[in-house]
Amino acid sequence: MRKNNHWTIFSNGLSMKSRFIQDLLKGDVPEELDDFKNKRGALFSTYTLEQFIKEEVLHDNFQLSEAAQRSIKTFSSGEQRKALLQHLLSSKPDFLVLDNAFDMLDATSQQNLLIQLVEISKNLPIIQRIKRKDNLLSFIKNALLVENEQIVFAGSLSDYMNRYFTENAFSMEGNLPAPLSEQVIVSNPLIQFNNVSVSYGDRTIVDNINWTINKGDFWQLKGPNGSGKTTLLTMITGDNPKAYGQDLILFGNKRGTGESIWDIKKKIGYITPSMTSLFRGWNSVEKMVISGLVDSIGLYQKPTELQRKLADQWIKLIGLGEHKHTRFSTLGEGQQCMVLIARAMIKHPSLLILDEPTHGLDDYNASILSALVNKIAAEGQTTIIFVSHRKEPGLNPKKVYELQPDKTGSKGIIIQNS
C-alpha cells in the first residue's frame, strides 16, 4: 500500500457503527479504495473510546489506562485521545481511520494531536472523516463523499472542493417570537463574580474570578480543557455547592440568601449536545418546543391554542415548519440543536447558556445555529453565554471571558470585541 495514500470522508449521518465503516476497517472496500482491500484498519473515534470505557465498567479491563493505574474516565479529553491513539498504534494496523478527531479539544490539545498525526502519516495511510473544513489535515489530497453508505464522489480533494463546497453566509428571516407573558424584571448585574476562587482538595481550579454579566450581554466563555469553564457554569446554575460562602450574585440575589435551585433554574435556558439523550421517547418537534414552557422532559398535558401558535412561530423561524409533527429523535444533529434552542427560548429566559452547541455539527449547520444565536442577541433581551473552544465564523459575541490556567488556578481576562 502507498504510504501517502490519505483520504478524507465527507458525509452527514455516517455512523462509526455503519456497515460502510465496519467493512472498511476489515478491508472489505469498494473499488475506489482498492489500496485498502484485505487490509486491517484501526478506528480513532469517540465511539471506540466509549467501548473501552464500557469494558472498564463491565469487566474491569483497563487497557487504555493500566500504566497510570486509574480509570480512563478520570483523564482529560486530550489525555484520553492520546492514550487511545497509542493503544491503537501498538496493534500495528495497516491504516488509521480518524472520526472527527479534533472535536472537544482545546487549541493546545489540537496542536499536539496534529503534530502526532503528521508524523504518523509519513508511514501509515490515514482516512479522516470530518465535519468542519478547518479540521482538514493538510497532507490529505484525496476525497470521498458518502451518502446513504454509498460513495457518490471519489477523487482529488481540490476537485471535491470545486464541485461541492461553498461558503455559507446564512441569514435567518422572520422576527423573534414574543413571549406569552411579560418577562420578570431582573436588576443589573444579572450575574456577578467578586474575587471567587474554587478549590478541590489542594488543587485550585479558578482563582479570584471577577466577572460581571448584565442584561442583554452576549458573551463567549472560552479556555482550554480543565481550565474551569464547567466550574463557573455550575455556580451560575446553582448546581455547585462551592458557590455558598462566595461573593456571587445570581439574578439580583447573593447566593445562599434563601433562593432555591429551582428559583435560579427557571430563569435559565441551558443547552448542551448531551441533552438529546434525555428525549428518546415519542416527542414531536411541536411537543418538544411547547415543553419548554413547563420545563418538562416531554409534554404530558394538553397545550393551549396560544401555546401551539407560539411554538409554531418558533418552529417556522428555525426552518422546521414541515417537521412540526416529526419525531425529535429522528432529526439530524443540527436540527435537534435548533429545536432545543427554540425549546429554551420559547419562555424568553433571563439567561441562555449554550455549552459547546456546535459540537458534532458540520459547517452548514453551525452557520445556521450561529445565525439563530445572533438573532436572539440582536432582537431579544435574553443574556447569552456561548461556551466554545473555537471562534465560530459568523458568530458575533460582544465580549469574551477567557480562562487562562495558572499554577495557582485559572485567571479570567475580558476581551472586548469590536
Side-chain angles (χ1 to χ4, degrees):
M1 185 187 297
R2 291 172 289 153
K3 298 298 184 184
N4 63 348
N5 188 24
H6 310 299
W7 290 77
T8 187
I9 297 177
F10 295 94
S11 68
N12 283 322
L14 184 63
S15 166
M16 292 301 103
K17 296 183 287 186
S18 68
R19 175 172 292 182
F20 182 90
I21 294 296
Q22 294 304 310
D23 285 348
L24 171 61
L25 293 170
K26 294 183 294 185
D28 184 5
V29 296
E31 60 181 357
E32 293 90 343
L33 296 173
D34 197 54
D35 281 351
F36 298 91
K37 189 175 182 62
N38 298 324
K39 303 295 183 181
R40 180 179 61 86
L43 177 61
F44 182 71
S45 169
T46 300
Y47 168 72
T48 311
L49 186 61
E50 289 171 349
Q51 302 311 301
F52 280 106
I53 292 174
K54 187 176 180 180
E55 275 295 303
E56 280 192 355
V57 173
L58 296 179
H59 305 117
D60 291 330
N61 187 346
F62 294 83
Q63 289 185 66
L64 295 190
S65 57
E66 187 174 7
Q69 297 184 330
R70 61 189 176 106
S71 170
I72 192 66
K73 291 188 293 182
T74 67
F75 287 30
S76 69
S77 297
E79 291 172 331
Q80 286 180 341
R81 298 195 180 208
K82 182 179 179 180
L84 176 60
L85 186 57
Q86 289 175 340
H87 180 79
L88 294 176
L89 293 177
S90 69
S91 69
K92 300 189 182 304
D94 297 309
F95 61 95
L96 186 64
V97 178
L98 309 177
D99 173 35
N100 295 305
F102 297 97
D103 275 8
M104 300 298 284
L105 295 181
D106 57 50
T108 300
S109 298
Q110 287 189 27
Q111 184 62 27
N112 291 338
L113 178 57
L114 177 60
I115 291 170
Q116 282 185 282
L117 293 174
V118 169
E119 285 301 308
I120 291 168
S121 70
K122 295 175 182 177
N123 298 298
L124 194 68
I126 289 178
I127 300 175
Q128 181 190 25
R129 186 238 182 172
I130 62 168
K131 291 186 177 180
R132 307 302 294 269
K133 182 188 174 187
D134 59 359
N135 287 334
L136 181 62
L137 294 167
S138 61
F139 54 79
I140 292 181
K141 306 302 180 185
N142 304 303
L144 289 177
L145 176 60
V146 178
E147 295 179 354
N148 298 319
E149 301 204 30
Q150 300 293 320
I151 294 176
V152 296
F153 173 88
S156 72
L157 180 60
S158 58
D159 284 349
Y160 172 84
M161 290 297 183
N162 290 334
R163 188 181 303 188
Y164 292 98
F165 188 84
T166 56
E167 295 289 346
N168 298 303
F170 191 88
S171 61
M172 186 158 287
E173 303 298 329
N175 297 320
L176 202 69
L180 278 180
S181 57
E182 251 183 77
Q183 293 176 270
V184 176
I185 298 175
V186 180
S187 60
N188 275 327
L190 194 70
I191 309 290
Q192 187 167 34
F193 291 78
N194 296 309
N195 297 314
V196 171
S197 299
V198 177
S199 298
Y200 292 94
D202 56 2
R203 184 192 172 200
T204 301
I205 306 300
V206 292
D207 183 40
N208 286 321
I209 296 298
N210 290 284
W211 186 15
T212 300
I213 303 169
N214 288 317
K215 292 185 293 184
D217 280 354
F218 183 5
W219 288 88
Q220 178 171 350
L221 174 61
K222 64 184 294 188
N225 297 118
S227 62
K229 298 188 299 296
T230 299
T231 297
L232 295 190
L233 292 182
T234 55
M235 296 188 84
I236 291 172
T237 60
D239 295 311
N240 195 327
K242 296 285 184 177
Y244 291 101
Q246 303 273 8
D247 191 353
L248 175 63
I249 305 297
L250 300 180
F251 307 103
N253 298 305
K254 185 171 182 179
R255 185 71 175 107
T257 55
E259 81 289 359
S260 68
I261 290 181
W262 172 247
D263 291 330
I264 295 169
K265 288 186 179 298
K266 69 182 181 181
K267 298 180 178 73
I268 300 174
Y270 193 104
I271 307 297
T272 182
S274 62
M275 284 181 63
T276 57
S277 63
L278 298 174
F279 302 97
R280 293 179 175 175
W282 182 263
N283 294 288
S284 67
V285 169
E286 180 187 49
K287 288 182 178 179
M288 282 288 296
V289 175
I290 294 174
S291 72
L293 291 168
V294 292
D295 295 308
S296 62
I297 299 177
L299 190 64
Y300 305 101
Q301 60 191 56
K302 186 176 180 180
T304 67
E305 191 60 32
L306 278 177
Q307 288 175 333
R308 285 184 181 276
K309 286 182 178 178
L310 181 58
D312 191 55
Q313 291 173 29
W314 276 102
I315 293 167
K316 288 178 179 176
L317 178 70
I318 62 176
L320 294 177
E322 296 180 358
H323 295 278
K324 182 166 69 171
H325 301 298
T326 299
R327 188 174 180 175
F328 172 78
S329 60
T330 66
L331 298 177
E333 290 174 314
Q335 293 173 324
Q336 287 185 339
C337 193
M338 297 290 279
V339 172
L340 288 176
I341 294 175
R343 177 181 179 272
M345 279 302 303
I346 192 171
K347 63 177 182 180
H348 286 251
S350 299
L351 176 65
L352 177 65
I353 298 175
L354 300 162
D355 191 359
E356 299 286 356
T358 58
H359 170 61
L361 302 188
D362 59 21
D363 289 303
Y364 178 70
N365 282 293
S367 72
I368 297 176
L369 186 144
S370 294
L372 176 60
V373 176
N374 287 338
K375 190 174 190 67
I376 292 169
E379 299 180 17
Q381 298 179 39
T382 295
T383 299
I384 299 171
I385 300 177
F386 189 100
V387 187
S388 181
H389 294 307
R390 67 168 70 233
K391 174 70 174 73
E392 284 293 346
L395 188 73
N396 301 318
K398 300 306 179 186
K399 304 174 186 176
V400 175
Y401 195 81
E402 182 172 353
L403 291 173
Q404 297 183 340
D406 188 88
K407 291 180 181 179
T408 59
S410 292
K411 308 295 191 294
I413 65 166
I414 295 173
I415 303 168
Q416 190 86 30
N417 288 342
S418 57

